[in-house]
PDB file of all heavy atoms in Angstrom:
ATOM      1  N   GLN A  63      17.133  60.183   3.845  1.00  0.00           N
ATOM      2  CA  GLN A  63      17.242  60.869   2.567  1.00  0.00           C
ATOM      3  C   GLN A  63      17.120  62.378   2.699  1.00  0.00           C
ATOM      4  O   GLN A  63      17.823  63.113   2.022  1.00  0.00           O
ATOM      5  CB  GLN A  63      16.171  60.352   1.599  1.00  0.00           C
ATOM      6  CG  GLN A  63      16.231  61.000   0.227  1.00  0.00           C
ATOM      7  CD  GLN A  63      15.211  60.450  -0.736  1.00  0.00           C
ATOM      8  OE1 GLN A  63      14.429  59.573  -0.391  1.00  0.00           O
ATOM      9  NE2 GLN A  63      15.216  60.936  -1.946  1.00  0.00           N
ATOM     10  N   TRP A  64      16.255  62.881   3.568  1.00  0.00           N
ATOM     11  CA  TRP A  64      15.888  64.295   3.551  1.00  0.00           C
ATOM     12  C   TRP A  64      16.394  65.114   4.735  1.00  0.00           C
ATOM     13  O   TRP A  64      16.309  66.340   4.707  1.00  0.00           O
ATOM     14  CB  TRP A  64      14.382  64.437   3.429  1.00  0.00           C
ATOM     15  CG  TRP A  64      13.886  63.912   2.133  1.00  0.00           C
ATOM     16  CD1 TRP A  64      13.236  62.733   1.908  1.00  0.00           C
ATOM     17  CD2 TRP A  64      14.013  64.533   0.852  1.00  0.00           C
ATOM     18  NE1 TRP A  64      12.960  62.578   0.587  1.00  0.00           N
ATOM     19  CE2 TRP A  64      13.417  63.682  -0.086  1.00  0.00           C
ATOM     20  CE3 TRP A  64      14.579  65.727   0.413  1.00  0.00           C
ATOM     21  CZ2 TRP A  64      13.379  63.977  -1.450  1.00  0.00           C
ATOM     22  CZ3 TRP A  64      14.534  66.007  -0.940  1.00  0.00           C
ATOM     23  CH2 TRP A  64      13.937  65.160  -1.852  1.00  0.00           C
ATOM     24  N   PHE A  65      16.911  64.506   5.784  1.00  0.00           N
ATOM     25  CA  PHE A  65      17.324  65.231   6.971  1.00  0.00           C
ATOM     26  C   PHE A  65      18.832  65.166   7.153  1.00  0.00           C
ATOM     27  O   PHE A  65      19.444  64.117   6.897  1.00  0.00           O
ATOM     28  CB  PHE A  65      16.622  64.707   8.217  1.00  0.00           C
ATOM     29  CG  PHE A  65      15.168  65.089   8.310  1.00  0.00           C
ATOM     30  CD1 PHE A  65      14.202  64.336   7.651  1.00  0.00           C
ATOM     31  CD2 PHE A  65      14.775  66.198   9.019  1.00  0.00           C
ATOM     32  CE1 PHE A  65      12.869  64.694   7.724  1.00  0.00           C
ATOM     33  CE2 PHE A  65      13.443  66.564   9.073  1.00  0.00           C
ATOM     34  CZ  PHE A  65      12.474  65.803   8.430  1.00  0.00           C
ATOM     35  N   THR A  66      19.403  66.257   7.620  1.00  0.00           N
ATOM     36  CA  THR A  66      20.822  66.317   7.943  1.00  0.00           C
ATOM     37  C   THR A  66      21.012  67.064   9.267  1.00  0.00           C
ATOM     38  O   THR A  66      20.062  67.678   9.773  1.00  0.00           O
ATOM     39  CB  THR A  66      21.632  67.059   6.853  1.00  0.00           C
ATOM     40  OG1 THR A  66      21.115  68.378   6.705  1.00  0.00           O
ATOM     41  CG2 THR A  66      21.585  66.310   5.519  1.00  0.00           C
ATOM     42  N   LYS A  67      22.210  67.022   9.764  1.00  0.00           N
ATOM     43  CA  LYS A  67      22.544  67.690  11.025  1.00  0.00           C
ATOM     44  C   LYS A  67      22.134  69.157  10.972  1.00  0.00           C
ATOM     45  O   LYS A  67      22.342  69.863   9.993  1.00  0.00           O
ATOM     46  CB  LYS A  67      24.052  67.587  11.237  1.00  0.00           C
ATOM     47  CG  LYS A  67      24.538  68.321  12.459  1.00  0.00           C
ATOM     48  CD  LYS A  67      26.040  68.214  12.595  1.00  0.00           C
ATOM     49  CE  LYS A  67      26.515  69.013  13.790  1.00  0.00           C
ATOM     50  NZ  LYS A  67      27.973  68.952  13.926  1.00  0.00           N
ATOM     51  N   GLY A  68      21.503  69.623  12.070  1.00  0.00           N
ATOM     52  CA  GLY A  68      21.101  71.018  12.200  1.00  0.00           C
ATOM     53  C   GLY A  68      19.688  71.318  11.716  1.00  0.00           C
ATOM     54  O   GLY A  68      19.158  72.369  12.040  1.00  0.00           O
ATOM     55  N   MET A  69      19.061  70.402  10.998  1.00  0.00           N
ATOM     56  CA  MET A  69      17.703  70.649  10.509  1.00  0.00           C
ATOM     57  C   MET A  69      16.682  70.483  11.615  1.00  0.00           C
ATOM     58  O   MET A  69      16.854  69.657  12.506  1.00  0.00           O
ATOM     59  CB  MET A  69      17.372  69.701   9.347  1.00  0.00           C
ATOM     60  CG  MET A  69      18.156  69.993   8.084  1.00  0.00           C
ATOM     61  SD  MET A  69      17.761  68.854   6.735  1.00  0.00           S
ATOM     62  CE  MET A  69      16.069  69.283   6.379  1.00  0.00           C
ATOM     63  N   MET A  70      15.635  71.284  11.544  1.00  0.00           N
ATOM     64  CA  MET A  70      14.539  71.211  12.487  1.00  0.00           C
ATOM     65  C   MET A  70      13.596  70.078  12.079  1.00  0.00           C
ATOM     66  O   MET A  70      13.207  69.987  10.914  1.00  0.00           O
ATOM     67  CB  MET A  70      13.764  72.523  12.522  1.00  0.00           C
ATOM     68  CG  MET A  70      12.598  72.547  13.472  1.00  0.00           C
ATOM     69  SD  MET A  70      13.083  72.774  15.188  1.00  0.00           S
ATOM     70  CE  MET A  70      13.579  74.478  15.154  1.00  0.00           C
ATOM     71  N   ALA A  71      13.244  69.216  13.022  1.00  0.00           N
ATOM     72  CA  ALA A  71      12.355  68.099  12.755  1.00  0.00           C
ATOM     73  C   ALA A  71      11.256  68.056  13.808  1.00  0.00           C
ATOM     74  O   ALA A  71      11.453  68.410  14.960  1.00  0.00           O
ATOM     75  CB  ALA A  71      13.103  66.777  12.747  1.00  0.00           C
ATOM     76  N   ILE A  72      10.077  67.609  13.393  1.00  0.00           N
ATOM     77  CA  ILE A  72       8.961  67.367  14.299  1.00  0.00           C
ATOM     78  C   ILE A  72       8.742  65.860  14.333  1.00  0.00           C
ATOM     79  O   ILE A  72       8.591  65.238  13.269  1.00  0.00           O
ATOM     80  CB  ILE A  72       7.688  68.087  13.834  1.00  0.00           C
ATOM     81  CG1 ILE A  72       7.919  69.589  13.764  1.00  0.00           C
ATOM     82  CG2 ILE A  72       6.525  67.730  14.765  1.00  0.00           C
ATOM     83  CD1 ILE A  72       6.812  70.350  13.102  1.00  0.00           C
ATOM     84  N   VAL A  73       8.777  65.291  15.506  1.00  0.00           N
ATOM     85  CA  VAL A  73       8.653  63.846  15.674  1.00  0.00           C
ATOM     86  C   VAL A  73       7.424  63.540  16.519  1.00  0.00           C
ATOM     87  O   VAL A  73       7.193  64.165  17.546  1.00  0.00           O
ATOM     88  CB  VAL A  73       9.923  63.279  16.382  1.00  0.00           C
ATOM     89  CG1 VAL A  73       9.741  61.853  16.799  1.00  0.00           C
ATOM     90  CG2 VAL A  73      11.132  63.425  15.504  1.00  0.00           C
ATOM     91  N   VAL A  74       6.626  62.594  16.052  1.00  0.00           N
ATOM     92  CA  VAL A  74       5.506  62.064  16.808  1.00  0.00           C
ATOM     93  C   VAL A  74       5.748  60.576  16.974  1.00  0.00           C
ATOM     94  O   VAL A  74       5.998  59.868  15.992  1.00  0.00           O
ATOM     95  CB  VAL A  74       4.156  62.312  16.085  1.00  0.00           C
ATOM     96  CG1 VAL A  74       3.003  61.721  16.884  1.00  0.00           C
ATOM     97  CG2 VAL A  74       3.930  63.797  15.846  1.00  0.00           C
ATOM     98  N   GLY A  75       5.684  60.119  18.202  1.00  0.00           N
ATOM     99  CA  GLY A  75       5.949  58.703  18.441  1.00  0.00           C
ATOM    100  C   GLY A  75       5.663  58.327  19.885  1.00  0.00           C
ATOM    101  O   GLY A  75       4.907  59.018  20.578  1.00  0.00           O
ATOM    102  N   ARG A  76       6.304  57.260  20.320  1.00  0.00           N
ATOM    103  CA  ARG A  76       6.099  56.808  21.709  1.00  0.00           C
ATOM    104  C   ARG A  76       7.462  56.586  22.358  1.00  0.00           C
ATOM    105  O   ARG A  76       8.424  56.202  21.697  1.00  0.00           O
ATOM    106  CB  ARG A  76       5.250  55.540  21.736  1.00  0.00           C
ATOM    107  CG  ARG A  76       5.834  54.375  21.014  1.00  0.00           C
ATOM    108  CD  ARG A  76       4.809  53.247  20.838  1.00  0.00           C
ATOM    109  NE  ARG A  76       5.403  52.145  20.105  1.00  0.00           N
ATOM    110  CZ  ARG A  76       5.569  52.117  18.804  1.00  0.00           C
ATOM    111  NH1 ARG A  76       5.193  53.149  18.077  1.00  0.00           N
ATOM    112  NH2 ARG A  76       6.120  51.075  18.216  1.00  0.00           N
ATOM    113  N   ILE A  77       7.495  56.805  23.649  1.00  0.00           N
ATOM    114  CA  ILE A  77       8.730  56.618  24.415  1.00  0.00           C
ATOM    115  C   ILE A  77       8.836  55.141  24.797  1.00  0.00           C
ATOM    116  O   ILE A  77       7.858  54.544  25.228  1.00  0.00           O
ATOM    117  CB  ILE A  77       8.728  57.514  25.675  1.00  0.00           C
ATOM    118  CG1 ILE A  77       8.663  58.970  25.251  1.00  0.00           C
ATOM    119  CG2 ILE A  77       9.952  57.214  26.533  1.00  0.00           C
ATOM    120  CD1 ILE A  77       8.460  59.936  26.382  1.00  0.00           C
ATOM    121  N   GLN A  78      10.015  54.602  24.591  1.00  0.00           N
ATOM    122  CA  GLN A  78      10.212  53.206  24.985  1.00  0.00           C
ATOM    123  C   GLN A  78      11.609  53.026  25.557  1.00  0.00           C
ATOM    124  O   GLN A  78      12.517  53.789  25.269  1.00  0.00           O
ATOM    125  CB  GLN A  78       9.993  52.271  23.797  1.00  0.00           C
ATOM    126  CG  GLN A  78      11.016  52.421  22.679  1.00  0.00           C
ATOM    127  CD  GLN A  78      10.667  51.523  21.500  1.00  0.00           C
ATOM    128  OE1 GLN A  78       9.500  51.241  21.229  1.00  0.00           O
ATOM    129  NE2 GLN A  78      11.686  51.083  20.787  1.00  0.00           N
ATOM    130  N   SER A  79      11.737  52.023  26.409  1.00  0.00           N
ATOM    131  CA  SER A  79      13.045  51.701  26.973  1.00  0.00           C
ATOM    132  C   SER A  79      13.505  50.381  26.354  1.00  0.00           C
ATOM    133  O   SER A  79      12.697  49.541  25.961  1.00  0.00           O
ATOM    134  CB  SER A  79      12.956  51.569  28.494  1.00  0.00           C
ATOM    135  OG  SER A  79      12.098  50.528  28.854  1.00  0.00           O
ATOM    136  N   ARG A  80      14.815  50.270  26.245  1.00  0.00           N
ATOM    137  CA  ARG A  80      15.407  49.076  25.654  1.00  0.00           C
ATOM    138  C   ARG A  80      16.557  48.645  26.531  1.00  0.00           C
ATOM    139  O   ARG A  80      17.414  49.454  26.892  1.00  0.00           O
ATOM    140  CB  ARG A  80      15.866  49.435  24.250  1.00  0.00           C
ATOM    141  CG  ARG A  80      16.474  48.338  23.464  1.00  0.00           C
ATOM    142  CD  ARG A  80      16.692  48.768  22.000  1.00  0.00           C
ATOM    143  NE  ARG A  80      17.303  50.052  21.841  1.00  0.00           N
ATOM    144  CZ  ARG A  80      18.636  50.259  21.714  1.00  0.00           C
ATOM    145  NH1 ARG A  80      19.451  49.235  21.745  1.00  0.00           N
ATOM    146  NH2 ARG A  80      19.116  51.471  21.554  1.00  0.00           N
ATOM    147  N   ARG A  81      16.567  47.390  26.922  1.00  0.00           N
ATOM    148  CA  ARG A  81      17.649  46.865  27.765  1.00  0.00           C
ATOM    149  C   ARG A  81      18.566  46.025  26.890  1.00  0.00           C
ATOM    150  O   ARG A  81      18.116  45.261  26.048  1.00  0.00           O
ATOM    151  CB  ARG A  81      17.085  46.014  28.886  1.00  0.00           C
ATOM    152  CG  ARG A  81      16.225  46.792  29.841  1.00  0.00           C
ATOM    153  CD  ARG A  81      15.658  45.903  30.932  1.00  0.00           C
ATOM    154  NE  ARG A  81      14.564  46.531  31.644  1.00  0.00           N
ATOM    155  CZ  ARG A  81      14.735  47.363  32.667  1.00  0.00           C
ATOM    156  NH1 ARG A  81      15.918  47.636  33.106  1.00  0.00           N
ATOM    157  NH2 ARG A  81      13.686  47.893  33.257  1.00  0.00           N
TER     158      ARG A  81
END
Side-chain angles (χ1 to χ4, degrees):
Q63 181 178 1
W64 295 104
F65 286 84
T66 58
K67 176 182 177 181
M69 291 179 66
M70 180 78 71
I72 301 170
V73 170
V74 178
R76 61 191 178 282
I77 298 171
Q78 66 184 31
S79 62
R80 182 171 47 92
R81 297 179 195 275

